Structures are given as structure tokens and as C-alpha cells.
Amino acid sequence: MTSLAALQPGDPQRIGPYVLLGRLGSGGMGRVYLARSPGGRMVAVKVIRANLAEDAGFRARFAREVSAARKVGGLFTAAVVDADVDGPVPWLVTAYVPGTSLSDAVERQGPLPEASVLALAAGLAEGLIAIHAAGVIHRDLKPSNVLLAQDGPRIIDFGISSAAGATALTGTGFMIGSPGFMSPEQAEGLTVGRPATSSAWRACSSTPPGARARSAAATRPRCSTAWCTASPTRTACPTTCGR
């Protein structure tokens, strides 16, 4: 199960009508909380960081992305249920999916069995098909954004996805994505489309067999350069993964 940390003194107690219960995690775009809806349902609430909330350009892109992400459904995603893109601090609410992240599962348990890896790859592919059908490109697909639910993998964190056809979600010195899981074109700051998500899918699907997290300690330029120029290896993957 996803670990839940206690709320800290600086955390809000409520976001909109949702009562916050604890912290689920955090990232470059904001912090994610477990919350209870007015009807008693458990939801995940992502609150955008204050510095990004002050950027009018980011708010406009975020609003477009929330609109696109609302269209995404299917068994392999966490559905968007609510959002506020105009408030002092934008927030996004999705269905809460009980389950550990792929990154935590590999770190704690080591390599997944071959059958599990193949099922994971198929589940992620089905989820990405649903996402692409809604006109959304996930710009930060990585193991920590994949939850291993009882009925299969769920792709989360659409808060930094890009509506297909929208301008690049980047600025000077600012890049969306995670080193080691970005496609070469994304690492180089070029236009990102469906092929970039396919590249991230391959990276996520090849991580579990070897149980080796792609190094986050490397600097972004160094990691991006390696990702753009190095030849891929599958020495730790089951032979069926290359078929």
C-alpha cells in the first residue's frame, strides 16, 4: 500500500471541500495528499507549488491539461474527479488508488517475475492507449507514477501532462520530465508527442527485471546526454521482453 505521512504544520487542513488526511508524496509540481470527499470517498489531492501558481502561463497550460485529463478513463488510469485552476493555488483531485508504486515495489522486493513484467507492460500499454485516445500526452511517465493496484497498473499524475497539439511545457532552464525516463527529444527540449510516451513506456517496462533504478543522482545535463547518445541494454531482461 502507498505509505501515508502525517500532515506537517505548514500543510493546509482542507482543500476546497476535501479534508486532508495525510501526505502521499511530492514532486517538482506540487504535493499530493490523501483526502476525504464530502461524501466520505478517499481521493488524492495534488496542490500545485506556490511559485508555479504565480506563473500565468503555467496556469493556462494547467487549465488545458485538466480539461484534457478529465476525458481520460479506463481501468488503467486514476480518473480526474475535481479541480480548481483559478484559485490562489491550483489543485487537482483524482480517484485514490490503493497500492504501492512500481518504483517502491522494485526497491523493496527486487526483480519482478517474468509473468508480472509482461502483464505490467501490457497494462501500461492499454492505459497509454486510453490516454492518447483522449488527446493527452503524459510527459512524466516513470515507475513512481505507476501504481500497482489489485486489478492492474494505474498511471497517475496527469497534472503535468500535455494536451496533444499544445506548445511545449518548457521554459528557459526549466524542463518537464524525469532524467532517465525522458525520450531523447524530450531531454533535448524538442516537441513531445506519442513516440516520447512510448519511449517512457519501454523505460518503465525494462526497469523491473533488473531492479535497477535509473540514477537520479546524475546531473540533468549529464543524464540527458547519456539518454540521447547511449545504446540501450537489456542484459537483465527476460528473453521474452525483447520479442
Side-chain angles (χ1 to χ4, degrees):
M1 297 288 289
T2 303
S3 59
L4 183 67
L7 294 174
Q8 299 301 306
D11 289 329
Q13 297 298 307
R14 179 185 295 266
I15 292 293
Y18 303 96
V19 177
L20 304 188
L21 305 176
R23 291 183 174 189
L24 288 173
S26 62
M29 292 293 159
R31 182 165 285 122
V32 183
Y33 301 93
L34 178 67
R36 184 175 58 247
S37 74
R41 298 179 185 274
M42 295 295 102
V43 294
V45 179
K46 181 163 189 175
V47 181
I48 300 303
R49 294 190 183 279
N51 64 315
L52 292 174
E54 297 173 356
D55 185 334
F58 175 85
R59 278 181 175 269
R61 291 189 293 268
F62 183 66
R64 290 196 297 267
E65 289 148 18
V66 168
S67 178
R70 286 183 185 274
K71 304 175 185 178
V72 179
L75 295 175
F76 298 95
T77 61
V80 175
V81 298
D82 198 2
D84 181 359
V85 299
D86 299 316
V89 178
W91 48 264
L92 175 70
V93 180
T94 66
Y96 172 62
V97 179
T100 189
S101 70
L102 173 59
S103 58
D104 285 346
V106 172
E107 181 177 347
R108 295 172 183 174
Q109 303 173 19
L112 301 183
E114 181 176 336
S116 297
V117 173
L118 297 177
L120 169 70
L124 290 178
E126 186 170 3
L128 290 174
I129 289 172
I131 294 168
H132 291 165
V136 179
I137 305 299
H138 201 300
R139 300 173 65 95
D140 197 23
L141 181 61
K142 57 185 177 181
S144 60
N145 282 341
V146 175
L147 295 180
L148 302 180
Q150 286 188 337
D151 59 351
R154 303 290 186 94
I155 300 171
I156 63 170
D157 205 346
F158 289 94
I160 60 173
S161 297
S162 174
T167 55
L169 228 174
T170 55
T172 303
F174 182 71
M175 182 183 299
I176 297 293
S178 299
F181 294 95
M182 293 185 290
S183 65
E185 61 268 31
Q186 187 174 4
E188 293 181 330
L190 304 177
T191 301
V192 173
R194 294 185 183 185
T197 309
S198 299
S199 182
W201 169 80
R202 290 192 298 271
C204 287
S205 298
S206 64
T207 296
R212 296 181 301 172
R214 291 165 182 262
S215 175
T219 62
R220 186 179 296 266
R222 183 186 306 166
C223 190
S224 298
T225 300
W227 185 232
C228 291
T229 59
S231 298
T233 60
R234 291 184 296 194
T235 55
C237 294
T239 55
T240 49
C241 290
R243 292 176 185 172

